[in-house]
Amino acid sequence: MADSSKDLQLRELKDMINDLKKMIKTLQATVDAANKREEALTQERDNLKEEVDLLRKKLFGSSSEKRSMDVPGQLNLFNEAELEQNPTIAEPEALESLLPEKETKKRKSRATNAERFKGIPVVKKYLDLPDAEKVCPVCNAPLVKIGEEFVRRELSFVPAKLKVIEIYSLNYICPECNNDDVTVIKKGKDGHAHMLHGMAAADTIAWVMYQKFCNSLPYTRQEKDWEQYGVAITRATMANWVIRNTLDYFTPMYDYFHRQLLKREFAMADETPLQVLHESGRRAQTKSYMWLFRAGNNAVEFLEGFKGYLMCDGYSGYNKVPDAKRTACWAHIRRYLTDAIPKGKQLDYTQPSVQGMMYINQLFHLEDVIKAKYSSFDAIKKARLEKEKPIVEGFLSWLDKQNPVRGSRMDKAVTYIQNRRSYLMTYLEDGHCSFSNNLSENAIRPFTVGRKNWLFCDTPNGAQASAIVYTMVEMAKANGVNVYHYLTYLLEKLPNDRMSDEELDRLAPWNEEVKAEIERRANDSNQ
C-alpha cells in the first residue's frame, strides 16, 4: 500500500531535522575550533606583549633586580614567623640582629677628595702677584708675604710618552793579556736575554693587553691610538705580541691557578658564548664558550678531578661534572621571576611572580644580615638553617601550587626553577657555599663588554690567549693589585713550565712580596 502524502511529508521532515542536527553539530565543532584558535592567538598575543614589555624594561628600565620586601597595605608574611619562633634556638642578641632593619641601614658615605686621590702625588701651584704689583697702592712700600690660602684642587692628566731604548753592551779587554795565547774580554750584562716575542718591551706589551682585556679597546682602535703617539703599530703586530707571549709566558701561571682551583672545596662558574672563525673541524658559525671559574675546554675537562661544591647557572654542560655537588644561584632564580612580573604590577600582591619575589627578597635580606653578623662559617651555616631554611621550604611549597599559562614568562620561570629544584637547598649544607653567582658574573662581564667591540676570535690560539690574559687580569683585580703593573711584572719575570709550584706561587698576585712590589711600581709611576 502506497504511503500517504502525509507520511512522505513526515519522513522528509524527519530527514531534514537529522540533517539540521548534523549541520548544527558541524557548526558547533567549527565554532569550538575557532574559539580554541582565538584563545591560542590571544594567549600568543599576550605572551608576545609580555616579551615586548620585558625587552622594553631591559632596554629602558632599571637594571636592578632588587625589590622591596614589603608590599604597601599587606602584612609582612615572614616577620611574624621570626618573631614567634622559639627563642631558645639561638641567643637573644643573635635573634635580634637577624630581624629586618632596612630602615636603619646606613647609606654609603660619599668618598672625600683625599680618599679618591689617595696615592696620587700632589704638586702645589701658587698664584703670585706680578713684581710690579708687590707694592702698597697707598704708600708705595714693598709688600711682605704673610702666608698662603687654598683656592681649589684640580686633577691633571699627563699623557703617556714613548721612547726607544737601545741596549748596548760595554766591552772590556785586558791590555796585558792581549796576545796570541790569552785574550781576556768582558761584556756588560743585565742578567737575562730579551726573550719576549717582538721588539716591544714588557711594559708595552702589558699596555696593549691592559687596553684590550681591561678597557675593552680592540686592536683596531689601539692602532689609531698609537698613531697619535707617532708610532705605526699594526693590529696584526699587536695580536702577534699578545698571542705568542701569552701562550709562552702566561700559560704556566694559568696552569698553576688551575691546579690550585681543583684543590679547593668550593668553586663558582659562569660561561658566555664566543664565536671562533677558523677552528679546525668546525664551521665559523658554531658556538663556542668562554668559561670563567672562581676559587678552551669545557666544564668537564677543566673541572676533572674537582670534588667540591660547584656554584653555576643552568648550562647543561655542568651536569657532566661527575664528582661536583651542584648549588643553584638564587640571583638567577630572582631574575626569572623579575622578568615574569607584568608591566605595572610590581606591587600587586596577587601576582604569583610578585609572591615568589617576596620569598627570594627575604632570603637575600637575611643573607646580608647573617654575613654582616657572623664571620665564622659554622655560625653562618647555623643561622642559615634556623632563619633561611623555613623560607626556602615555604618557597618550594608555593612553587608546587603554581600552574601558569603555557608559554608565558611565568611558565618559563617556574620551569627554570623546577629544573633546579634539587640544587636550591645545597648551599645550606656548608657556610662556605655562596648564595648567588653574582661575583662570577661580575668577573666575566669585562669579557662580554669587550666582545661587543671585537665580536669574535679569529683562531683557537687567539681565543685561548684571550682566556689566559683575562685570567691574569681578573686574578689581579681579585687580589687588589694594579692590573697593568702586574702584567708587566709577569712579562719581566717570564714564568716557564720548568718552574715548581713554589716558584710560581712567588709570582702569584696574592703573594705579599708581589703585592708590595706592584704597589711600589704604581707609586713610582705617579711621581
Side-chain angles (χ1 to χ4, degrees):
M1 181 178 178
D3 292 336
S4 64
S5 60
K6 288 185 178 181
D7 292 335
L8 291 173
Q9 188 176 10
L10 181 61
R11 283 199 296 270
E12 290 176 354
L13 289 174
K14 288 182 177 180
D15 291 340
M16 183 181 296
I17 290 173
N18 290 331
D19 291 340
L20 289 174
K21 286 182 178 179
K22 292 179 181 179
M23 183 180 296
I24 291 173
K25 188 175 181 180
T26 301
L27 291 174
Q28 185 62 48
T30 303
V31 171
D32 292 341
N35 287 338
K36 289 181 178 180
R37 285 196 300 272
E38 182 182 8
E39 290 178 2
L41 290 172
T42 300
Q43 187 57 54
E44 183 179 1
R45 180 204 64 189
D46 293 341
N47 291 343
L48 291 174
K49 286 175 65 178
E50 281 188 351
E51 293 291 337
V52 171
D53 289 339
L54 175 63
L55 292 174
R56 285 176 176 170
K57 182 171 68 173
K58 289 185 178 296
L59 187 60
F60 303 112
S62 171
S63 60
S64 175
E65 299 164 359
K66 294 182 179 180
R67 295 290 185 273
S68 171
M69 293 188 299
D70 298 326
V71 176
Q74 300 288 343
L75 293 175
N76 190 309
L77 302 181
F78 303 103
N79 289 351
E80 181 181 5
E82 291 187 342
L83 291 171
E84 295 297 331
Q85 77 169 22
N86 189 344
T88 62
I89 295 178
E91 296 179 1
E93 57 269 21
L95 286 175
E96 183 179 356
S97 67
L98 289 175
L99 295 178
E101 296 178 353
K102 63 179 181 178
E103 296 82 8
T104 62
K105 187 175 181 180
K106 293 183 179 179
R107 185 176 181 179
K108 186 177 180 180
S109 59
R110 184 177 179 180
T112 64
N113 285 337
E115 293 172 335
R116 287 187 293 166
F117 302 146
K118 183 180 180 181
I120 304 298
V122 176
V123 177
K124 289 188 176 182
K125 179 180 178 180
Y126 293 96
L127 306 176
D128 203 355
L129 291 172
D131 290 340
E133 297 183 17
K134 293 181 180 179
V135 296
C136 178
V138 178
C139 65
N140 209 33
L143 297 179
V144 178
K145 180 180 176 181
I146 59 174
E148 60 186 50
E149 179 183 356
F150 176 78
V151 178
R152 65 179 182 273
R153 181 179 285 105
E154 297 175 345
L155 181 64
S156 177
F157 174 72
V158 180
K161 296 180 181 179
L162 289 177
K163 57 184 176 182
V164 176
I165 301 176
E166 294 183 343
I167 302 174
Y168 294 86
S169 170
L170 294 178
N171 302 335
Y172 297 86
I173 190 171
C174 174
E176 301 295 333
C177 299
N178 189 17
N179 52 54
D180 294 337
D181 297 328
V182 179
T183 300
V184 177
I185 298 177
K186 289 189 175 183
K187 299 181 180 182
K189 298 179 180 180
D190 59 1
H192 63 273
H194 179 79
M195 298 179 65
L196 293 175
H197 297 288
M199 189 195 77
D203 52 7
T204 302
I205 298 174
W207 181 252
V208 173
M209 293 177 173
Y210 176 77
Q211 286 288 74
K212 178 174 181 180
F213 299 102
C214 200
N215 293 339
S216 305
L217 197 66
Y219 296 138
T220 53
R221 298 183 193 173
Q222 291 195 54
E223 183 178 355
K224 296 178 181 179
D225 196 39
W226 284 109
E227 291 175 0
Q228 299 298 313
Y229 294 112
V231 179
I233 302 177
T234 66
R235 66 197 75 171
T237 297
M238 287 183 279
N240 190 49
W241 286 350
V242 171
I243 293 175
R244 296 184 67 187
N245 287 292
T246 295
L247 295 180
D248 279 357
Y249 305 122
F250 283 2
T251 300
M253 290 301 300
Y254 176 86
D255 292 339
Y256 170 67
F257 293 150
H258 182 194
R259 291 193 295 273
Q260 295 303 305
L261 175 71
L262 296 180
K263 295 178 182 178
R264 303 298 178 91
E265 296 181 12
F266 305 90
M268 302 170 70
D270 201 6
E271 78 291 329
T272 189
L274 171 67
Q275 185 179 6
V276 181
L277 298 185
H278 299 100
E279 189 171 2
S280 177
R282 306 183 78 190
R283 297 186 304 117
Q285 295 80 8
T286 303
K287 183 185 294 185
S288 299
Y289 283 90
M290 180 68 73
W291 303 88
L292 178 136
F293 296 93
R294 290 178 58 87
N297 348 308
N298 57 45
V300 179
E301 294 173 353
F302 194 88
L303 291 174
E304 183 178 358
F306 178 74
K307 301 181 183 299
Y309 289 91
L310 175 62
M311 162 66 75
C312 54
D313 61 14
Y315 178 68
S316 59
Y318 298 116
N319 297 329
K320 300 177 182 179
V321 182
D323 298 322
K325 196 164 188 178
R326 290 276 299 277
T327 64
C329 171
W330 281 90
H332 280 79
I333 304 296
R334 179 173 66 179
R335 190 169 304 153
Y336 272 80
L337 287 173
T338 300
D339 292 344
I341 298 177
K343 183 179 179 181
K345 301 292 186 178
Q346 288 82 0
L347 299 179
D348 185 353
Y349 177 70
T350 62
Q351 294 292 329
S353 50
V354 176
Q355 297 169 3
M357 284 289 292
M358 289 183 68
Y359 284 98
I360 296 178
N361 285 341
Q362 185 71 5
L363 288 174
F364 269 92
H365 171 73
L366 287 173
E367 273 292 303
D368 291 341
V369 175
I370 291 172
K371 291 293 182 63
K373 175 69 176 178
Y374 302 108
S375 57
S376 164
F377 293 117
D378 289 338
I380 291 174
K381 175 184 176 181
K382 180 180 178 182
R384 280 174 169 175
L385 290 173
E386 293 173 354
K387 310 300 292 186
E388 297 182 16
K389 185 178 179 181
I391 297 177
V392 177
E393 291 172 342
F395 175 77
L396 295 177
S397 176
W398 166 87
L399 183 67
D400 291 335
K401 299 176 183 177
Q402 303 309 306
N403 187 26
V405 176
R406 184 180 179 87
S408 64
R409 298 297 307 179
M410 188 60 185
D411 180 49
K412 295 179 181 179
V414 170
T415 301
Y416 179 87
I417 301 171
Q418 288 285 19
N419 288 341
R420 286 144 193 85
R421 184 188 186 101
S422 59
Y423 311 138
L424 293 180
M425 298 182 73
T426 309
Y427 83 100
L428 298 171
E429 297 177 6
D430 197 300
H432 293 81
C433 289
S434 178
F435 179 70
S436 76
N437 208 21
N438 283 340
L439 290 176
S440 297
E441 292 193 334
N442 291 338
I444 205 172
R445 185 169 291 117
F447 172 81
T448 59
V449 172
R451 185 183 54 199
K452 294 179 181 178
N453 292 328
W454 41 261
L455 301 180
F456 53 81
C457 284
D458 191 57
T459 64
N461 276 347
Q464 180 66 10
S466 295
I468 293 175
V469 180
Y470 271 115
T471 299
M472 302 303 123
V473 168
E474 292 304 317
M475 289 295 290
K477 289 181 182 178
N479 288 276
V481 301
N482 183 284
V483 175
Y484 164 69
H485 288 295
Y486 182 64
L487 295 176
T488 305
Y489 177 81
L490 287 181
L491 289 171
E492 290 175 353
K493 297 299 181 181
L494 300 177
N496 60 74
D497 54 12
R498 297 183 300 276
M499 289 183 172
S500 65
D501 281 2
E502 290 74 16
E503 292 174 302
L504 293 172
D505 185 77
R506 290 196 286 270
L507 302 179
W510 56 73
N511 186 284
E512 292 301 325
E513 293 182 2
V514 173
K515 286 187 172 184
E517 172 63 16
I518 301 303
E519 184 177 3
R520 183 193 66 76
R521 295 185 180 206
N523 292 335
D524 289 347
S525 66
N526 290 326
Q527 299 301 321

